Structures are given as C-alpha cells and as structure tokens.
Amino acid sequence: MAGRKRALEVVRSDDGEGRPSRRNRVNFFELAYQKIEELLVHCELKPGQFMTMLELQEITGFGRTPVHHAVNRLSADTLIVIRPRHGLHIAPIDLARERMLLALRRDMERFVVRLAADRASLSHRNQALHIERLLRERRASLTLDEFNSIDRRIDALVLEAAGEPFLVHTLRPLHTLYRRIGYIHHRFMPGQADLSGTIDHHLGILNAVANRRVEDAVKASDALIDYMGEMFNGMEVGIDPRLLDCSIEPLLGT
C-alpha cells in the first residue's frame, strides 16, 4: 500500500492541493506569452487598442496568472503599455523609432549569427538544413502565417546555437517588433504579398550556419537587415496610419 502511494505521488501533476506543478505553471506562462505575441504580430491585437486583462484572458483562453505574467514581459518589451486602473494599451507602431532600432538589431544579429555559425552543433546544423530544405520546397506556396511560424523557429534556433542566454532576452522583443512590421508590409502594402525575397534572405543565413561559414553568415544577416530597412521606405508614405494606431480617426468619416 505504501509503495502504491509513493508511485501515485511520483506521477502527480499538481502540488497536492489541486494546483498545477511549478513546471506546468512555467509552461503556461510561456504558452500565454507565445499566444499574445502571435496576436500582436498578426495585428489581431491592434496597435493603439485599449482592452482589459479579462478581455485578454478570454481571447487567449489562458487564466489570470499566465496572462498577467505574459503581459508584464510584453510591457518590458515595450509592446503593451499597462495603465494602472485603466487596463492595457497595445502600443502603437512608431515607424521612426523602429527604423532607428533596426541599427541596433543589425549589430546584435551580427554578433549572434557569428556565434551561432561558429558554435553550431551537429543537431543545430541538421535543424538548419531541415528548415532550409522546407523553405526551398515550399518557397512558392508558403503563406505569410506559415512563414512567420518558421521565422520564429529560425530565430530560436540561431539563438540556441549561439549558446548565450542573455541574448534571448535582448533580441526576442526586437524579433517580435520586426516580425509584425513584416506582416503589415506583406499583408497590407500594395504589391508586396510575394514572400520570395524574405525567404531567400533567410535561406542565406540558414545555409551559412548549417555549413559553419561564419563570414557568410554575417553577410547574410546584414543583407536581411538591409532588406527589412527597405520595407520602411514604402510604409512611411504608403501605409494607412490606422494600421499603426487604430485610435486614429478615419478621413471623411469613412
């Protein structure tokens, strides 16, 4: 009987009082963060939108504690503004600021991709080759949502291969900012739905990391940042400003 009791204790997924274990709670925190990040990138949480914590819980399907934890992280990432006693404000997109931060990302990405190409293990290299093969096979048919999911995998792989945890906390918010810019560019800018350009630039990084060609990886990273910088040229004059801040009143009441 005592042995059976011990066995039951080993497989419990809660803390004995019906609450999830700490490990499960951490997983929920991360899942809630990923879900809200996805909603931000795809503008389902519109820049400039005001909402309550309860509304965010209902949209994501997560409870108060995971959502609260995720919101605190996204607030530190400058993606959500917490208004005490007034709720949450999805931060509007400031194109001038994000264009300026692109210079910061360039320097950081050069550092990270150099480490990744130099340190990539056999597992990392195999993963890079697998993603590269998938992108080449699906290059003409990949949807924007599918590409964003793969892009998140690429970012995580490069950071893991670099092997410096500090860089994850620094670069992850920048990845989210520019993934959202890319989404708006390809979804809403006239004539910019084609993903082949951004796919090709990611292929360059993957191939260089997979083959541990450090200098080629750095050049491919710079080329991707240059490509992203070109997006701002058209968006600054061609994008509907309400996509950057939904609180802006429409022209002529339309």
Side-chain angles (χ1 to χ4, degrees):
M1 184 70 179
R4 182 182 178 188
K5 183 177 180 181
R6 283 194 298 272
L8 288 172
E9 288 173 350
V10 168
V11 300
R12 291 189 73 103
S13 62
D14 56 43
D15 60 5
E17 297 180 4
R19 294 190 298 266
S21 68
R22 176 175 177 81
R23 180 177 180 181
N24 286 341
R25 289 201 300 275
V26 171
N27 287 342
F28 277 126
F29 293 161
E30 182 62 25
L31 288 172
Y33 179 92
Q34 291 176 6
K35 179 61 177 178
I36 298 171
E37 180 191 45
E38 181 181 336
L39 293 171
L40 288 166
V41 166
H42 295 164
C43 296
E44 294 178 54
L45 295 178
K46 297 179 180 179
Q49 178 180 356
F50 286 89
M51 64 192 316
T52 66
M53 189 75 76
L54 182 58
E55 288 172 330
L56 193 53
Q57 289 173 226
E58 292 172 350
I59 291 170
T60 62
F62 288 95
R64 182 183 182 280
T65 300
V67 170
H68 188 270
H69 182 86
V71 164
N72 282 338
R73 282 177 61 185
L74 289 161
S75 175
D77 295 347
T78 72
L79 289 159
I80 294 179
V81 181
I82 300 173
R83 307 285 189 191
R85 298 181 298 279
H86 295 285
L88 307 175
H89 184 204
I90 307 304
I93 296 174
D94 183 342
L95 288 179
R97 171 181 179 257
E98 295 192 13
R99 187 166 196 165
M100 178 268 295
L101 288 175
L102 198 58
L104 171 63
R105 182 176 173 182
R106 175 190 294 274
D107 290 341
M108 294 187 65
E109 291 285 7
R110 292 176 112 250
F111 182 74
V112 169
V113 81
R114 183 181 292 277
L115 283 180
D118 183 56
R119 296 178 173 181
S121 67
L122 180 59
S123 174
H124 295 138
R125 295 165 65 192
N126 284 339
Q127 290 179 63
L129 289 171
H130 177 75
I131 298 173
E132 181 188 358
R133 183 166 58 250
L134 174 63
L135 285 178
R136 292 191 187 280
E137 291 173 353
R138 295 286 310 280
R139 185 177 181 274
S141 62
L142 207 64
T143 68
L144 182 54
D145 288 353
E146 288 172 336
F147 173 75
N148 276 338
S149 177
I150 294 171
D151 183 47
R152 188 179 291 108
R153 289 278 300 274
I154 295 171
D155 289 338
L157 174 62
V158 171
L159 284 165
E160 184 180 329
E164 176 45 66
F166 177 81
L167 297 170
V168 177
H169 304 291
T170 310
L171 261 178
R172 187 168 179 172
L174 289 172
H175 288 158
T176 303
L177 284 174
Y178 295 107
R179 196 172 292 120
R180 181 169 61 174
I181 287 292
Y183 179 87
I184 293 173
H185 173 80
H186 289 297
R187 181 72 76 198
F188 299 111
M189 284 290 292
Q192 298 299 326
D194 182 21
L195 298 175
S196 58
T198 189
I199 289 173
D200 288 345
H201 283 90
H202 283 81
L203 285 171
I205 293 173
L206 287 166
N207 186 266
V209 170
N211 291 285
R212 301 190 67 181
R213 297 196 305 268
V214 175
E215 295 307 318
D216 287 346
V218 173
K219 290 178 182 177
S221 177
D222 284 350
L224 175 60
I225 298 301
D226 289 340
Y227 177 80
M228 294 176 63
E230 293 173 2
M231 293 182 182
F232 286 91
N233 295 331
M235 291 180 67
E236 287 171 343
V237 296
I239 201 72
D240 185 340
R242 288 178 295 171
L243 292 170
L244 309 180
D245 184 351
C246 68
S247 67
I248 295 175
E249 293 292 332
L251 297 176
L252 302 177
T254 59

